Amino acid sequence: MRPQDILLPTADGLCCRPGKFHIDPIRPVERAVITHGHSDHARAGHGAVLATQETLDMMRLRYGENFAGSTQTISYGEEIRLGDTSVKFHPAGHVLGSAQIAVTCNGTCIVASGDYKDAPDPTCVPFELVPCDVFITEATFGLPVFRHGDAADEVNKLLASVALFPERAHLVGAYSLGKAQRVIALLRQAGYDAPIYLHGAMESITHYYQSRGIDLGELRPVMGVKKAALAGTITLAPPSATSDIWTRRFPDPVTAFASGWMRVRARARQRGIELPLVISDHADWDGLTATITATGAGEIWVTHGQEDALVHWCKSRGLQAQPLDLVGYGEEEESETPVQGEAEA
């Protein structure tokens, strides 16, 4: 059976006809298999949703209890039959509950990576390499210029700035699912034990992380705290909040932004970011190419990101490769939607 007879791109997203499901569909479908809880991958309105417990919980937090007609939980390493296929979930290392989806039909195994990273992250299960015949890889940072480095070094830059400017508040823009919790955990690993403040849009998901056993230390809502009391503190907020009038509640704030895009200094300047922090939850160029090689896949499909460069790299190494040109996926920081019922406080 040809790989494209198992999975193929459609207007609704990646469709598995032998299994009668879609992976991360962008429109409501009868059966959706979801890689992780970010809003560009996990949408409401499907008839049935299969995902990890954490991803289903994130969807409930974002969209309410009735986000799908029915739900089914699958654990890492668990294999189930869907139509004429077997489906198995493997850790993607992207955010809590994120998964790669291995689809096997008639002896051919295709792995859809979703979003992934191979860098260490104290807030989620590490990426697991899955040998396969066809590997569908994201390419968010699929250019050689993107080499993220060590996230711990970036957190040390933040702490150095806090020490240098004790009279100023530090306001860190970070996506509310995954990035914010990772930054907090990295701060704790670096020895920072003071309370960390949260924008209202951060609270629900961050408390969920804590309920799943992720130790984030003492966290406090920033709402209601007097301006003077925020000198020398660190507050996590959605990226959009770092450039609006909400920042006036902070004493002379240092604005930071934790993102792989901060490798591009022009982006930091355009956003008015004083302290760019190169911390990404996606694989960088070296991570992408190393993973592609290690899977042993002879065919690579590249999606949502810098597709052309990675396709060229694959072909130059004798691999079959093609872009999938799926639409509707993007950098989560650019497409964040508030959690249901939470004020942008």
Side-chain angles (χ1 to χ4, degrees):
M1 178 176 279
R2 301 178 307 166
Q4 57 266 38
D5 293 329
I6 303 172
L7 284 172
L8 76 162
T10 69
D12 294 328
L14 198 58
C15 175
C16 179
R17 287 181 176 163
K20 297 181 173 60
F21 64 86
H22 290 73
I23 296 176
D24 293 349
I26 63 171
R27 302 176 188 172
V29 298
E30 185 176 334
R31 177 178 290 276
V33 178
I34 305 296
T35 60
H36 66 284
H38 279 143
S39 57
D40 58 332
H41 290 257
R43 292 170 165 87
H46 305 305
V49 171
L50 175 70
T52 63
Q53 184 65 61
E54 292 89 348
T55 294
L56 293 174
D57 289 342
M58 296 298 178
M59 294 179 77
R60 289 188 183 95
L61 285 174
R62 288 188 179 278
Y63 306 123
E65 285 293 330
N66 299 318
F67 69 87
S70 65
T71 62
Q72 182 179 354
T73 302
I74 185 170
S75 302
Y76 293 136
E78 183 181 353
E79 189 169 346
I80 67 169
R81 293 289 300 181
L82 290 179
D84 295 327
T85 68
S86 66
V87 173
K88 195 172 184 180
F89 275 41
H90 301 268
H94 178 55
V95 297
L96 186 64
S98 62
Q100 305 170 81
I101 299 168
V103 181
T104 302
C105 185
N106 287 354
T108 297
C109 178
I110 303 177
V111 170
S113 72
D115 291 337
Y116 69 97
K117 69 174 181 291
D118 56 348
D121 182 341
T123 67
C124 65
V125 178
F127 175 84
E128 178 185 311
L129 185 71
V130 186
C132 54
D133 301 299
V134 180
F135 184 55
I136 304 175
T137 181
E138 63 136 315
T140 302
F141 293 106
L143 289 173
V145 68
F146 290 113
R147 288 179 164 90
H148 298 325
D150 189 344
D153 293 338
E154 300 300 297
V155 165
N156 285 334
K157 291 180 187 176
L158 172 59
L159 292 176
S161 182
V162 171
L164 187 62
F165 302 111
E167 75 285 0
R168 303 178 70 183
H170 280 69
L171 187 56
V172 182
Y175 184 59
S176 63
L177 168 51
K179 186 69 64 63
Q181 297 78 27
R182 185 181 179 203
V183 169
I184 294 169
L186 288 169
L187 283 166
R188 299 312 187 193
Q189 284 188 342
Y192 185 78
D193 58 4
I196 293 174
Y197 291 86
L198 298 177
H199 182 286
M202 297 287 186
E203 293 179 29
S204 180
I205 290 176
T206 303
H207 293 155
Y208 175 76
Y209 265 67
Q210 290 176 305
S211 77
R212 301 298 289 186
I214 308 298
D215 184 8
L216 300 176
E218 184 181 353
L219 305 174
R220 297 179 182 175
V222 75
M223 174 70 84
V225 180
K226 292 184 177 179
K227 187 172 184 176
L230 292 170
T233 64
I234 297 173
T235 297
L236 275 290
S240 59
T242 64
S243 59
D244 67 18
I245 60 172
W246 178 81
T247 63
R248 294 176 184 173
R249 71 181 64 198
F250 297 91
D252 191 17
V254 175
T255 56
F257 184 26
S259 170
W261 294 113
M262 291 297 96
R263 179 65 65 195
V264 183
R265 296 299 174 179
R267 286 213 178 199
R269 288 193 297 271
Q270 289 165 4
R271 286 178 170 266
I273 301 299
E274 186 173 348
L275 184 62
L277 303 173
V278 184
I279 301 174
S280 177
D281 285 335
H282 297 264
D284 64 4
W285 175 260
D286 291 335
L288 292 167
T289 55
T291 299
I292 288 168
T293 301
T295 63
E299 189 167 345
I300 309 298
W301 299 350
V302 185
T303 185
H304 57 285
Q306 305 289 340
E307 299 172 356
D308 292 345
L310 203 54
V311 167
H312 175 77
W313 181 90
C314 291
K315 288 182 175 179
S316 72
R317 281 151 181 79
L319 300 172
Q320 294 184 59
Q322 62 175 313
L324 282 191
D325 298 319
L326 291 172
V327 298
Y329 305 95
E331 178 67 6
E332 290 84 16
E333 282 92 345
E334 305 296 338
S335 60
E336 179 167 15
T337 55
V339 174
Q340 217 188 45
E342 289 191 339
E344 290 290 324

